[in-house]
Amino acid sequence: KELSGGQAQRVGVARALGGDPTVMLMDEPFGAIDPITRDRLQNEFLRLQAEMKKTIVFVTHDIDEAIKMGDRIAILGDRSVVRQCDTPERILALPVDDFVDDFIGSGSTLKGLNFERVNTLDLAPYPTMTATDSPESALASLGAAGQEWILLLDDEQRPVRWLRDTDLRRSDRPFGEMGQLVRARVEPNATLHDTLEEMLQSSTGSCCVVDNRGRLQGVVEMHHLTEVMHSLQAEARAHYDGLEATS
C-alpha cells in the first residue's frame, strides 16, 4: 500500500515474469498511471522483452501504445470480431476498412515513428568537448563538423550543455555556465516518436542518445526523423501500387 502506482506496476510485472510462463496475458497493464510513468514503464518493459523474448498478449485501448509495444496487432470491432490482424507497419499503411482507418486516426506517418527505434539510425559522430578543452580546439571541432552546436561533456562522458561558437568566444564565464542545458535525452531502445517529443521540448531541436549510465552515444537531429518518415511514406505508396498492379 505504500508503493506508488508505477512501483506497484513494476512489482506486478516482476511477479508475472518470475513464474517464467510460456505465454503472458497483460490486460491494460499501464492504463492507470500518469503519462510520464507510463512511458518509462513501456520503455523498461520493451528493454526486458528484448532480453527475455516472451510471448505476450497485450490488451490496450490505446492504438499508439499498441503500435509501440506490439509485433502484431489485432484490432477488434463489434462483438470482438477481428477486423485486422497484422504488423503495425501494414496496419498503418494499409487499413483494411473504414473502421480500422478511423480507429488509427490521423497522422499515420507520425504514428509509424512508434515502431522505429533510435538504435536503427545511422548517427554520424557529433562534435564534443570537455571543460578543460581550449576555446580554439572546440571552435576547430565545431567548424570541422559544420554544426551549429557542440556538446559539453562531463568527466563521465555525459552530455551537460549545448554551446555555440559565440559561447566559445566568450571569456567572462566558464563553459559550464554558458549555452543551453541538455534536457532531451533518450536511450537507444527508445522509439522515434518518443525521441520527437523530446526534441520538440529542446531549444536546440536535437536529442542526445545516452546509455543506461547517461554516457553519450550519439545525437538525433530532425533530418534523421524526416528521412524515416519519407521512407515510411515511400513504403506505403509501394504497397498501394503493388495492390493496384495485381488487382
Side-chain angles (χ1 to χ4, degrees), residues 15-243:
R15 282 176 172 170
L17 291 172
D20 195 24
T22 304
V23 179
M24 288 177 60
L25 171 62
M26 302 183 72
D27 189 0
E28 296 195 80
F30 309 135
I33 49 182
D34 66 271
I36 295 177
T37 304
R38 183 182 191 183
D39 182 64
R40 290 173 178 169
L41 283 172
Q42 289 171 345
N43 291 337
E44 187 175 334
F45 189 77
L46 285 170
R47 181 183 60 79
L48 286 171
Q49 171 63 353
E51 298 176 6
M52 303 185 73
K53 302 186 185 305
K54 289 289 181 183
T55 298
I56 300 166
V57 180
F58 192 106
V59 181
T60 178
H61 288 84
D62 184 344
I63 185 62
D64 291 327
E65 183 172 58
I67 292 168
K68 177 177 180 178
M69 304 296 290
D71 298 306
R72 294 183 68 84
I73 300 173
I75 297 180
L76 307 184
D78 293 338
R79 301 179 183 274
S80 297
V81 174
V82 177
R83 304 298 289 263
Q84 185 168 358
C85 183
D86 215 326
T87 63
E89 296 93 330
R90 291 279 294 177
I91 286 177
L92 288 175
L94 296 168
V96 295
D97 55 27
D98 291 340
F99 178 88
V100 176
D101 195 33
D102 291 341
F103 192 84
I104 294 171
S106 61
S108 60
T109 302
L110 285 177
K111 285 183 173 66
L113 295 179
N114 275 305
F115 55 81
E116 299 289 339
R117 302 198 178 276
V118 171
N119 55 21
T120 65
L121 298 177
D122 183 16
L123 301 179
Y126 200 86
T128 63
M129 62 175 294
T130 65
T132 58
D133 288 347
S134 67
E136 293 77 17
S137 65
L139 283 167
S141 297
L142 187 59
Q147 294 283 357
E148 180 182 2
W149 302 88
I150 188 171
L151 270 169
L152 176 66
L153 308 181
D154 65 11
D155 294 338
E156 301 295 325
Q157 296 298 298
R158 295 173 299 199
V160 179
R161 301 189 81 91
W162 299 93
L163 303 177
R164 280 194 177 104
D165 59 351
T166 52
D167 300 313
L168 299 175
R169 298 180 193 280
R170 296 177 60 176
S171 59
D172 56 331
R173 286 190 295 169
F175 292 138
E177 297 178 4
M178 294 189 289
Q180 305 288 333
L181 276 172
V182 173
R183 302 185 186 279
R185 296 181 177 87
V186 293
E187 293 192 4
N189 68 333
T191 69
L192 296 190
H193 193 279
D194 293 338
T195 305
L196 176 59
E197 290 186 349
E198 291 287 332
M199 293 167 71
L200 293 176
Q201 300 177 45
S202 169
S203 57
T204 65
S206 299
C207 184
C208 292
V209 183
V210 298
D211 63 15
N212 58 7
R213 296 176 60 183
R215 297 172 298 191
L216 183 70
Q217 305 295 297
V219 173
V220 179
E221 300 175 88
M222 195 59 69
H223 73 85
H224 292 116
L225 302 190
T226 56
E227 288 170 3
V228 171
M229 287 190 285
H230 290 156
S231 175
L232 292 173
Q233 291 170 338
E235 289 175 8
R237 285 195 297 269
H239 282 309
Y240 282 118
D241 293 342
L243 288 178

